[in-house]
Amino acid sequence: MIRKLLVLSFCYTLLLVGCAPRQSSNSKGETDATPVDVAVTQTSDGTKDFAKAKILVVYFSRTGEQYNVGVIRTGNTAIVAKMIANYLKADLYEVKTEKNTHYSTSYDPLTTQAKKEQQGNQRPAFLKPAPKLNDYDVVFFGAPVWWGDWPMIMYTIFESTDLQGKTLVPFCTHEGSGMSGLDVKLKKQYPKCDVLTGLALTGSEAQKKRDQTQEKVVNWLEDIGFTQAEANAQSNEPEPVKADEEETESAENVDTLVEITETVANEELNMSKEAFDKVNVFGQGTLNEKYAQFFIGNSYLNPLTDAEVPIQLVNVTFEPGCRNNWHIHHAKKGGGQILICTAGEGWYQAEGEDPVELKPGKVVFIPAGVKHWHGAKKDSWFSHIALEAPGEETSNEWLEPVDDQQYNALP
Ligand code: MN
């Protein structure tokens, strides 16, 4: 699959933080006070030997619109996480939000949301089941840097279990902020853990320069005392995670944990935002702030007719997962609403009826008085032109949101 990415000129600054080889950032005193991990042994030169350690790579990553990268299907941090797991034959666990529409796939709303979560010191719920982190000797934690910190959902993970005595390794992707103290914050969370030197890579590099990224990941792992897992030892060349094989899991033992996440709806977008923009010929317009309270997710409005035109046409664009609340277009006579589907894929549902799939070219008439909702599919952008049918004493009544469980059950 060839993906077009918005390639912006950018000075690739690789920030390999620290690089103190084979050295932990922990103090001796603290290490001695913790339980001895028999799988992680000290070698004669005082470095650690992880050959027999049980290793888990935990990461949070997101697809959708990314700063300096464009719209992506595999998250930047996910790429790095898979490289680590592949090289060490470690287990892999992706942290996902409990609700798959929790974070916006658009960049700007996401940054606002992330800031809000950080300011409120929130703990967004993650999707269960999660593996038992405590069963591992070494846990890698990876995430994008959001506002100079771990995304708040990582703290939900950190606090979900007691990892004291384990060896922890942070890694992150960013667009210029470097490690931003994520390693220090992890250490603060687990003062009695050995927190090894982390790796910070730019997200754009991870996306676009896979071979270079692979090399940096391997060099870093070896610097902090890890060696390539034995199953791979016959080949000196690491197996690169190629851009066109984004979902290939080459580590066999990754499979068991991947299964955990396979029950989740596929978050991949059917169409990239860039491709969607090209077919969204009536234009996305601006963020629909006025009615945002009646929508789940972000929607955008582009008025197509001037104010003096007797019938108003508006192109409404829904981000993936976005839909409006149940509502009724009331009218004493006539009225109702016509939806003319223009781009992407979505749903319309009238109360008591099955949902109707919406695709470009589909026209739906919603009679006045019918309780209904409309919006995007969970993994697709969607646009329709909305037209209020002329009537007498027309009004709109907004009701409850569409139930998450019901919506997420739709394909
Ligand atoms: Mn409607």
Side-chain angles (χ1 to χ4, degrees), residues 137-382:
D137 308 302
V138 178
V139 184
F140 285 73
F141 285 112
V145 177
W146 283 3
W147 295 105
D149 203 340
W150 294 94
M152 286 298 113
I153 194 167
M154 291 303 288
Y155 287 98
T156 319
I157 284 281
F158 295 157
E159 291 168 5
S160 70
T161 186
D162 183 7
L163 290 170
Q164 297 293 21
K166 309 287 183 185
T167 299
L168 308 181
V169 195
F171 65 99
C172 68
T173 54
H174 62 92
E175 284 306 326
S177 62
M179 186 57 96
S180 294
L182 262 57
D183 46 358
V184 176
K185 284 158 186 150
L186 184 61
K187 179 73 185 170
K188 203 175 162 193
Q189 191 73 37
Y190 285 110
K192 290 179 181 172
C193 280
D194 210 356
V195 177
L196 303 187
T197 302
L199 175 70
L201 289 169
T202 60
S204 48
E205 179 179 34
Q207 264 312 318
K208 295 179 238 171
K209 300 185 175 178
R210 304 282 172 110
D211 289 349
Q212 189 177 307
T213 301
Q214 171 83 24
E215 199 182 326
K216 281 170 180 165
V217 167
V218 169
N219 287 343
W220 162 66
L221 288 173
E222 292 185 347
D223 276 349
I224 58 172
F226 292 90
T227 46
Q228 192 172 13
E230 265 174 35
N232 256 358
Q234 62 271 35
S235 159
N236 288 328
E237 288 300 312
E239 292 171 26
V241 178
K242 290 193 181 112
D244 293 340
E245 299 172 356
E246 58 193 44
E247 289 308 323
T248 304
E249 305 290 348
S250 36
E252 278 174 29
N253 51 359
V254 163
D255 293 345
T256 51
L257 282 162
V258 167
E259 278 169 17
I260 293 171
T261 55
E262 272 178 355
T263 54
V264 190
N266 182 357
E267 284 185 3
E268 290 211 352
L269 307 180
N270 282 339
M271 189 194 286
S272 74
K273 180 62 173 23
E274 194 187 3
F276 175 80
D277 286 341
K278 281 186 186 152
V279 294
N280 191 18
V281 291
F282 292 100
Q284 182 170 314
T286 54
L287 186 64
N288 175 13
E289 287 175 300
K290 194 176 169 191
Y291 298 100
Q293 58 180 314
F294 306 120
F295 284 69
I296 288 177
N298 285 305
S299 62
Y300 302 83
L301 301 177
N302 198 29
L304 304 177
T305 41
D306 293 331
E308 67 272 18
V309 177
I311 290 179
Q312 294 291 304
L313 298 177
V314 181
N315 193 41
V316 187
T317 298
F318 302 79
E319 70 175 355
C322 174
R323 69 275 188 182
N324 50 32
N325 289 0
W326 290 97
H327 60 281
I328 302 169
H329 305 287
H330 289 289
K332 191 181 172 195
K333 197 178 172 191
Q337 187 185 36
I338 298 165
L339 307 179
I340 302 165
C341 305
T342 53
E345 294 185 23
W347 293 107
Y348 157 73
Q349 186 178 21
E351 191 179 34
E353 293 176 18
D354 288 336
V356 176
E357 197 173 34
L358 302 181
K359 286 185 176 178
K362 173 95 179 165
V363 177
V364 176
F365 174 60
I366 305 157
V370 171
K371 182 177 170 181
H372 69 283
W373 65 272
H374 32 113
K377 288 190 174 179
K378 63 190 168 199
D379 58 359
S380 177
W381 284 83
F382 174 64

